Amino acid sequence: MCGIVGYIGNRRVVPIVLEGLKRLEYRGYDSAGIVYLEDGKLRKHRCQGKLANLEELMDSVLTESRIGLGHTRWATHGAPSEANAHPHSDCSGDLVLVHNGIIENYQTLRKRLIASGHTFTSETDTEVMAHLIEEYLDGDLVAAVRRAVQDVEGSYALGVMWSGQPDRLVAVRNQSPLVLGVKNSSGCFMASDIPALLPYTRNVIFLDDNELAILKADSWQVLSIGDGRQIDKKVQRIEWNAGMAEKAGFRHFMLKEIFEQPQAILNTFRGRIEPESGIVQLPEIELSLEELQGISRISLVACGTSWHAALVAKYWLEKWVGIPVEVDIASEFRYRRLLLGPDVMVVPISQSGETADTLAGLRLAKQLGAKVVSICNVVGSTITRESHGTIYTHAGPEIGVASTKAFTSQLTALFLLTLYLGQVRQTISADKSRELGHALIALPEVVEKQLPLLQEAMSVIADEFSRSRDFLYLGRGANFPIALEGALKLKEISYIHAEGYAAGELKHGPIALIDRDMPVLALAPKNDVYAKLISNVEEVKARQGRMILVGSESDESLHDISDYVITLPDIHEELCPILYTIPLQLLSYQIANLRGCDVDQPRNLAKSVTVE
Ligand code: AGP
């Protein structure tokens, strides 16, 4: 939702904070601000709009300050404005903080604080926290913060500074991500996500919920907020280099990440599948053999693109493992009556590992005794630390708001899970393991070869249809969720209204939409529902619809029934959902570019939705 950066050490703080915010801008970008301590006073600068506005403002500010905080915002309470931008201050202006999350009882607290004489200058929930700490401040910032958060309900990652104790920053974490960067020689850092730390250190500490960190120029300490006892935290080393979080010469993060998919798919299965036999090992699943064999049902829970991955996995798991699979949108899952127990494996799927609804679903599933195995792309994120094991997708940092490599990596991980469970429960034969395993191992090279060809082929389609107002995507079977994914990609970065539909549903309503202005894209790999899909395509053509068909390079008939044809190599049917996603990603990217949209930071969106 928002990006937080803090630093204290022997280097000038402003460049460090601004660079860090730039690397976190994907988390929210409607306003930004910075605060630093100079001559005993806190100096605050804030701007509405993108981070570039703050950078421009700071160009004329020269300071040698070595301690400060910064924030890039995605508004939840209070419209994007300078007054609502973080950092926020108490009445005195001697205490400031930045916040990511939502203070759910902020109205009650605000009334109480106003009644006791506090004056507010913003509409935000965050400002309440500054005045609440001020209320309890009596010479000790840590004690005041620990006391203040006891009055708060909701989620928060906080960075706090007080000119009364200029030798420290305080970091607090509850249900919103916060990671520390430690490097003895040049100080301590805090940030909402790893990319902000990478130019300075790869030694990180993930704060857990209800933990507070005290950062000083040459030391750090983590306490439990509840009883104040010191907690020994493990320093983890991040192998991502700073370059991985850069664009590596591509125009946008999204395009870079589309082209990183062969490596992301490879990195996700590398070391988990035996090349010859196709036998899969997933030791990260902390469940015994009998627990795995005792699973009677699987429940997949996710949001957005991750939910589409779950929909594909249902086809794989039910076909190859032979147990019922439920798929839920997390925001629905958490509010319906759940029939879960120790015989159910719940699989939260999340790129960020911080999506509030998915995390809430995870916690409910655990309360009901289910076994939780998550699929996630961010090491140490909240979802991973609350699961009974995590199958990490090794896609590397995904910065573009529109998920691409994380999605195909999620599908790879779910395919591995299918093979693993099928092998453990002996529903997949040795021959079939070999066949499916070899198909997966061959996939990265196929994707690698297709990417430049598809980039060219999709630019022709994009030129033709970038001015369309509506789009319909059709698919059947395990490719129906890919139609949903293609539609989501297009709508979220080009702002064209796009819908994905099960092709068999066309006659039940959507066919009324078909005319020359409504382009229809259908996924038509050779499989057992191919003939049915083609008859749906004929229905579109009979109504002057303009067809785009994505199908097999060996299928000569496609050109007879479609205005535009995109062909892909014949690969194993089971893996078509992964390969057929690629052209749809490139189509949405190219149309968004032609429309002059902000591909990496689409309007109204944020990379990680850490609030409900
Ligand atoms: C995907 O392109 C979207 N940005 C969005 O739907 C995303 O998939 C969803 O918010 C879930 O995020 P997560 O995978 O980090 O949980």
Side-chain angles (χ1 to χ4, degrees), residues 506 514 516 534-548 560-564:
L506 203 57
I514 303 302
R516 278 205 57 75
I534 295 303
S535 64
N536 298 138
V537 171
E538 300 285 5
E539 290 159 19
V540 172
K541 291 300 292 171
R543 290 158 179 82
Q544 290 75 51
R546 300 174 70 199
M547 268 315 303
I548 304 160
D560 303 333
I561 54 172
S562 182
D563 303 285
Y564 297 86

Tab-separated table of all heavy atoms in Angstrom, residues 506 514 516 534-548 560-564:
chain	number	residue	atom	x	y	z
A	506	LEU	N	-20.665	-18.323	-23.926
A	506	LEU	CA	-20.937	-17.248	-24.897
A	506	LEU	C	-22.432	-17.101	-25.162
A	506	LEU	O	-22.990	-16.002	-25.094
A	506	LEU	CB	-20.201	-17.574	-26.205
A	506	LEU	CG	-19.889	-16.426	-27.146
A	506	LEU	CD1	-19.082	-15.351	-26.464
A	506	LEU	CD2	-19.184	-16.937	-28.385
A	514	ILE	N	-21.412	-9.071	-29.204
A	514	ILE	CA	-20.552	-9.236	-30.380
A	514	ILE	C	-21.007	-8.340	-31.536
A	514	ILE	O	-22.163	-8.366	-31.947
A	514	ILE	CB	-20.551	-10.711	-30.857
A	514	ILE	CG1	-20.101	-11.637	-29.713
A	514	ILE	CG2	-19.619	-10.878	-32.065
A	514	ILE	CD1	-18.748	-11.341	-29.149
A	516	ARG	N	-18.798	-5.613	-34.791
A	516	ARG	CA	-17.492	-5.356	-35.395
A	516	ARG	C	-16.564	-4.592	-34.452
A	516	ARG	O	-15.365	-4.565	-34.613
A	516	ARG	CB	-17.664	-4.566	-36.703
A	516	ARG	CG	-18.014	-5.471	-37.878
A	516	ARG	CD	-17.604	-4.849	-39.198
A	516	ARG	NE	-16.164	-4.527	-39.266
A	516	ARG	CZ	-15.194	-5.437	-39.439
A	516	ARG	NH1	-15.493	-6.707	-39.490
A	516	ARG	NH2	-13.937	-5.071	-39.526
A	534	ILE	N	-13.794	-24.135	-31.172
A	534	ILE	CA	-13.886	-23.645	-32.547
A	534	ILE	C	-15.334	-23.332	-32.923
A	534	ILE	O	-15.621	-22.339	-33.598
A	534	ILE	CB	-13.268	-24.667	-33.529
A	534	ILE	CG1	-11.753	-24.815	-33.261
A	534	ILE	CG2	-13.529	-24.270	-34.976
A	534	ILE	CD1	-10.965	-23.530	-33.353
A	535	SER	N	-16.272	-24.124	-32.427
A	535	SER	CA	-17.683	-23.811	-32.748
A	535	SER	C	-18.073	-22.488	-32.104
A	535	SER	O	-18.852	-21.704	-32.656
A	535	SER	CB	-18.608	-24.946	-32.298
A	535	SER	OG	-18.552	-25.075	-30.893
A	536	ASN	N	-17.495	-22.172	-30.928
A	536	ASN	CA	-17.761	-20.856	-30.319
A	536	ASN	C	-17.186	-19.739	-31.201
A	536	ASN	O	-17.782	-18.677	-31.383
A	536	ASN	CB	-17.137	-20.757	-28.932
A	536	ASN	CG	-17.707	-21.789	-27.961
A	536	ASN	OD1	-16.970	-22.382	-27.196
A	536	ASN	ND2	-19.011	-22.006	-28.024
A	537	VAL	N	-16.022	-20.019	-31.778
A	537	VAL	CA	-15.403	-19.024	-32.662
A	537	VAL	C	-16.299	-18.778	-33.883
A	537	VAL	O	-16.522	-17.637	-34.305
A	537	VAL	CB	-14.006	-19.501	-33.105
A	537	VAL	CG1	-13.431	-18.597	-34.192
A	537	VAL	CG2	-13.060	-19.559	-31.917
A	538	GLU	N	-16.871	-19.836	-34.411
A	538	GLU	CA	-17.784	-19.704	-35.568
A	538	GLU	C	-18.983	-18.823	-35.193
A	538	GLU	O	-19.446	-18.000	-35.984
A	538	GLU	CB	-18.282	-21.089	-36.002
A	538	GLU	CG	-17.221	-22.079	-36.427
A	538	GLU	CD	-16.653	-21.758	-37.820
A	538	GLU	OE1	-17.038	-20.712	-38.399
A	538	GLU	OE2	-15.818	-22.541	-38.314
A	539	GLU	N	-19.463	-18.994	-33.970
A	539	GLU	CA	-20.608	-18.180	-33.515
A	539	GLU	C	-20.243	-16.699	-33.529
A	539	GLU	O	-21.042	-15.836	-33.870
A	539	GLU	CB	-21.021	-18.600	-32.091
A	539	GLU	CG	-21.665	-19.970	-31.996
A	539	GLU	CD	-21.578	-20.554	-30.577
A	539	GLU	OE1	-21.359	-19.773	-29.620
A	539	GLU	OE2	-21.705	-21.780	-30.439
A	540	VAL	N	-19.003	-16.405	-33.151
A	540	VAL	CA	-18.547	-15.006	-33.136
A	540	VAL	C	-18.471	-14.482	-34.569
A	540	VAL	O	-18.968	-13.403	-34.900
A	540	VAL	CB	-17.182	-14.892	-32.448
A	540	VAL	CG1	-16.603	-13.483	-32.609
A	540	VAL	CG2	-17.287	-15.249	-30.974
A	541	LYS	N	-17.865	-15.289	-35.443
A	541	LYS	CA	-17.688	-14.839	-36.826
A	541	LYS	C	-19.036	-14.610	-37.510
A	541	LYS	O	-19.204	-13.695	-38.303
A	541	LYS	CB	-16.901	-15.904	-37.616
A	541	LYS	CG	-15.452	-16.047	-37.225
A	541	LYS	CD	-14.697	-14.754	-37.423
A	541	LYS	CE	-14.555	-14.406	-38.909
A	541	LYS	NZ	-14.007	-13.054	-39.075
A	542	ALA	N	-20.016	-15.449	-37.130
A	542	ALA	CA	-21.343	-15.338	-37.789
A	542	ALA	C	-22.026	-14.025	-37.409
A	542	ALA	O	-23.003	-13.613	-38.012
A	542	ALA	CB	-22.202	-16.514	-37.351
A	543	ARG	N	-21.473	-13.370	-36.393
A	543	ARG	CA	-22.079	-12.097	-35.956
A	543	ARG	C	-21.124	-10.937	-36.175
A	543	ARG	O	-21.099	-9.967	-35.412
A	543	ARG	CB	-22.491	-12.221	-34.486
A	543	ARG	CG	-23.679	-13.169	-34.316
A	543	ARG	CD	-23.806	-13.739	-32.921
A	543	ARG	NE	-24.976	-14.619	-32.861
A	543	ARG	CZ	-24.958	-15.886	-33.270
A	543	ARG	NH1	-23.837	-16.413	-33.778
A	543	ARG	NH2	-26.036	-16.648	-33.209
A	544	GLN	N	-20.313	-11.072	-37.220
A	544	GLN	CA	-19.371	-10.026	-37.620
A	544	GLN	C	-18.350	-9.675	-36.530
A	544	GLN	O	-17.753	-8.608	-36.538
A	544	GLN	CB	-20.095	-8.717	-38.021
A	544	GLN	CG	-20.864	-8.827	-39.337
A	544	GLN	CD	-22.136	-9.624	-39.165
A	544	GLN	OE1	-22.924	-9.344	-38.261
A	544	GLN	NE2	-22.311	-10.660	-40.004
A	545	GLY	N	-18.198	-10.595	-35.569
A	545	GLY	CA	-17.161	-10.326	-34.563
A	545	GLY	C	-15.783	-10.428	-35.201
A	545	GLY	O	-15.591	-11.149	-36.178
A	546	ARG	N	-14.808	-9.710	-34.642
A	546	ARG	CA	-13.447	-9.778	-35.174
A	546	ARG	C	-12.622	-10.689	-34.262
A	546	ARG	O	-12.487	-10.416	-33.070
A	546	ARG	CB	-12.843	-8.375	-35.260
A	546	ARG	CG	-13.676	-7.481	-36.191
A	546	ARG	CD	-13.194	-6.066	-36.177
A	546	ARG	NE	-11.881	-5.926	-36.823
A	546	ARG	CZ	-11.081	-4.893	-36.623
A	546	ARG	NH1	-11.422	-3.959	-35.751
A	546	ARG	NH2	-9.939	-4.794	-37.240
A	547	MET	N	-12.119	-11.767	-34.844
A	547	MET	CA	-11.512	-12.838	-34.054
A	547	MET	C	-9.991	-12.755	-34.024
A	547	MET	O	-9.346	-12.475	-35.025
A	547	MET	CB	-11.873	-14.195	-34.655
A	547	MET	CG	-13.104	-14.884	-34.108
A	547	MET	SD	-13.258	-14.895	-32.320
A	547	MET	CE	-11.741	-15.671	-31.813
A	548	ILE	N	-9.443	-13.008	-32.865
A	548	ILE	CA	-8.006	-13.217	-32.687
A	548	ILE	C	-7.870	-14.603	-32.079
A	548	ILE	O	-8.401	-14.857	-30.999
A	548	ILE	CB	-7.389	-12.177	-31.730
A	548	ILE	CG1	-7.672	-10.753	-32.202
A	548	ILE	CG2	-5.878	-12.410	-31.571
A	548	ILE	CD1	-7.541	-9.716	-31.104
A	560	ASP	N	-8.376	-20.068	-41.471
A	560	ASP	CA	-9.642	-20.043	-42.231
A	560	ASP	C	-10.776	-19.408	-41.421
A	560	ASP	O	-11.766	-18.952	-41.973
A	560	ASP	CB	-10.065	-21.480	-42.607
A	560	ASP	CG	-8.968	-22.172	-43.406
A	560	ASP	OD1	-8.201	-21.427	-44.071
A	560	ASP	OD2	-8.845	-23.399	-43.309
A	561	ILE	N	-10.617	-19.415	-40.096
A	561	ILE	CA	-11.773	-18.983	-39.283
A	561	ILE	C	-11.458	-17.775	-38.414
A	561	ILE	O	-12.242	-17.386	-37.564
A	561	ILE	CB	-12.241	-20.141	-38.355
A	561	ILE	CG1	-11.062	-20.657	-37.506
A	561	ILE	CG2	-12.872	-21.257	-39.177
A	561	ILE	CD1	-11.484	-21.655	-36.450
A	562	SER	N	-10.266	-17.179	-38.620
A	562	SER	CA	-9.948	-16.077	-37.712
A	562	SER	C	-9.311	-14.914	-38.480
A	562	SER	O	-8.545	-15.131	-39.424
A	562	SER	CB	-8.975	-16.550	-36.617
A	562	SER	OG	-8.716	-15.485	-35.741
A	563	ASP	N	-9.608	-13.706	-38.067
A	563	ASP	CA	-9.019	-12.527	-38.715
A	563	ASP	C	-7.533	-12.435	-38.398
A	563	ASP	O	-6.735	-11.989	-39.201
A	563	ASP	CB	-9.720	-11.260	-38.200
A	563	ASP	CG	-11.222	-11.321	-38.454
A	563	ASP	OD1	-11.610	-11.130	-39.626
A	563	ASP	OD2	-11.974	-11.619	-37.488
A	564	TYR	N	-7.190	-12.804	-37.176
A	564	TYR	CA	-5.782	-12.755	-36.758
A	564	TYR	C	-5.445	-14.073	-36.065
A	564	TYR	O	-6.261	-14.594	-35.312
A	564	TYR	CB	-5.542	-11.592	-35.790
A	564	TYR	CG	-5.812	-10.242	-36.411
A	564	TYR	CD1	-7.106	-9.717	-36.420
A	564	TYR	CD2	-4.795	-9.529	-37.039
A	564	TYR	CE1	-7.366	-8.502	-37.010
A	564	TYR	CE2	-5.054	-8.304	-37.632
A	564	TYR	CZ	-6.349	-7.797	-37.623
A	564	TYR	OH	-6.617	-6.588	-38.217
